[in-house]
Amino acid sequence: MSNLDLRQVTAPRQFGFINWLGLWTLYKKEVRRFMKVVFQTVLAPVVTVLLFMVIFAMVLSEARPDIAGIPFAQFIAPGLILMGVLNNAFANSSSTLLVSKVQGNTVDFLMPPLSPLELFLAFVGGAMTRGFIVALASGTAMAFFVPLWPEHVWAVVFYGLSAAAMLAMVGVIAGIWAEKFDHLAVVTNFIIMPLTFLSGTFYSVAGRGVIETISHFNPFFYMIDGFRYGFTGHADGSLTIGILMTLGINIALAICCYGVLRAGWRLKS
């Protein structure tokens, strides 16, 4: 082998700003990880959403009047879809990092030439993909019971992607922080679930006094309210405030995730 050939073999690979091959490989790994157990990661959440629809809309619909001229079942359907997005985006990114730490195979993504930005994009992208698939499957199933056709596509896309990204990033931070699954359960049961159920998913917050005031400090309220606006044209809160709050929180979370991955906190130690 010539000296030139030897240098070509031993020289390190050169990447641009983004290692696209490594990023794509890790992203595919994340997607394949949850698709291998699709009954648990996709179909089970869809069944849960449909059960909520049956209980709250089909059984109780006669006892619930229309909300702002919108049938009760049609009113809660978008919120149920986004609830599935929130829960599954968080579950995907948090579980993959915690499982890697528990099994001691974080080296699988720390050793390859992947920057903190590429790790961030792959983990968040994989979680958002799971949230998108759950939303698509849930919406398709619900369409057999209630009319679901976007009136404002921009709102559906913006709030859907923003919600998936937000909970995916929360999942990254929680997965790195947690040392056992009990820690993730604390985040789910005492933070995500209360914020979800107090966000107006199953009711309108308009005219509810203290509940309405509290809801306006809940970022989940603005995401669900904006997502519902995309389908029904009705919003209980300010869309402008919702956009600004959602963008602000997501930017802050992105900076935090990048900093934690760059420092290797609880991953390299």
Side-chain angles (χ1 to χ4, degrees):
M1 182 180 292
S2 66
N3 292 334
L4 178 59
D5 293 335
L6 182 60
R7 287 195 301 271
Q8 290 176 342
V9 172
T10 59
R13 291 182 61 186
Q14 300 297 321
F15 302 105
F17 180 70
I18 297 290
N19 175 3
W20 293 108
L21 176 60
L23 172 58
W24 176 245
T25 302
L26 183 55
Y27 169 77
K28 286 196 300 182
K29 170 185 173 295
E30 288 301 300
V31 173
R32 289 175 177 174
R33 188 182 71 88
F34 72 77
M35 289 302 293
K36 284 185 178 179
V37 285
V38 67
F39 285 96
Q40 174 187 345
T41 57
V42 176
L43 295 183
V46 172
V47 171
T48 300
V49 167
L50 289 177
L51 287 174
F52 275 116
M53 172 61 74
V54 169
I55 294 172
F56 284 93
M58 304 305 172
V59 177
L60 301 177
S61 59
E62 295 182 357
R64 299 297 302 267
D66 294 351
I67 300 175
I70 304 168
F72 181 66
Q74 188 177 351
F75 179 86
I76 70 170
L80 290 174
I81 294 173
L82 200 66
M83 184 177 71
V85 173
L86 296 170
N87 291 333
N88 285 278
F90 172 82
N92 198 81
S93 56
S94 61
S95 64
T96 189
L97 285 163
L98 179 57
V99 169
S100 294
K101 292 198 303 179
V102 171
Q103 294 180 346
N105 57 13
T106 55
V107 66
D108 290 347
F109 57 82
L110 292 178
M111 284 289 289
L114 292 169
S115 68
L117 177 61
E118 291 152 3
L119 293 176
F120 167 76
L121 292 175
F123 289 132
V124 172
M128 292 179 66
T129 300
R130 176 173 166 183
F132 172 77
I133 293 175
V134 169
L136 184 62
S138 300
T140 302
M142 283 188 181
F144 289 98
F145 304 98
V146 294
L148 279 176
W149 189 258
E151 291 190 15
H152 304 280
V153 177
W154 72 266
V156 174
V157 174
F158 173 80
Y159 285 104
L161 292 178
S162 297
M166 183 182 295
L167 269 295
M169 289 186 285
V170 171
V172 169
I173 297 172
I176 294 175
W177 163 77
E179 296 180 348
K180 52 186 178 179
F181 284 97
D182 288 349
H183 293 162
L184 290 185
V186 169
V187 178
T188 300
N189 295 329
F190 293 98
I191 298 178
I192 295 176
M193 187 176 294
L195 289 177
T196 302
F197 277 80
L198 296 176
S199 62
T201 302
F202 304 102
Y203 56 89
S204 173
V205 303
R208 294 187 179 270
V210 177
I211 293 180
E212 181 178 8
T213 302
I214 294 175
S215 296
H216 289 168
F217 293 94
N218 181 358
F220 286 24
F221 161 73
Y222 290 102
M223 292 188 292
I224 289 176
D225 190 52
F227 192 73
R228 178 183 291 126
Y229 168 81
F231 283 97
T232 65
H234 169 77
D236 287 335
S238 169
L239 295 176
T240 302
I241 294 176
I243 291 172
L244 294 176
M245 177 180 287
T246 302
L247 287 176
I249 293 175
N250 278 346
I251 291 172
L253 286 172
I255 294 173
C256 183
C257 285
Y258 177 81
V260 169
L261 288 169
R262 183 176 182 179
W265 178 62
R266 293 199 173 184
L267 290 175
K268 297 180 180 180
S269 58

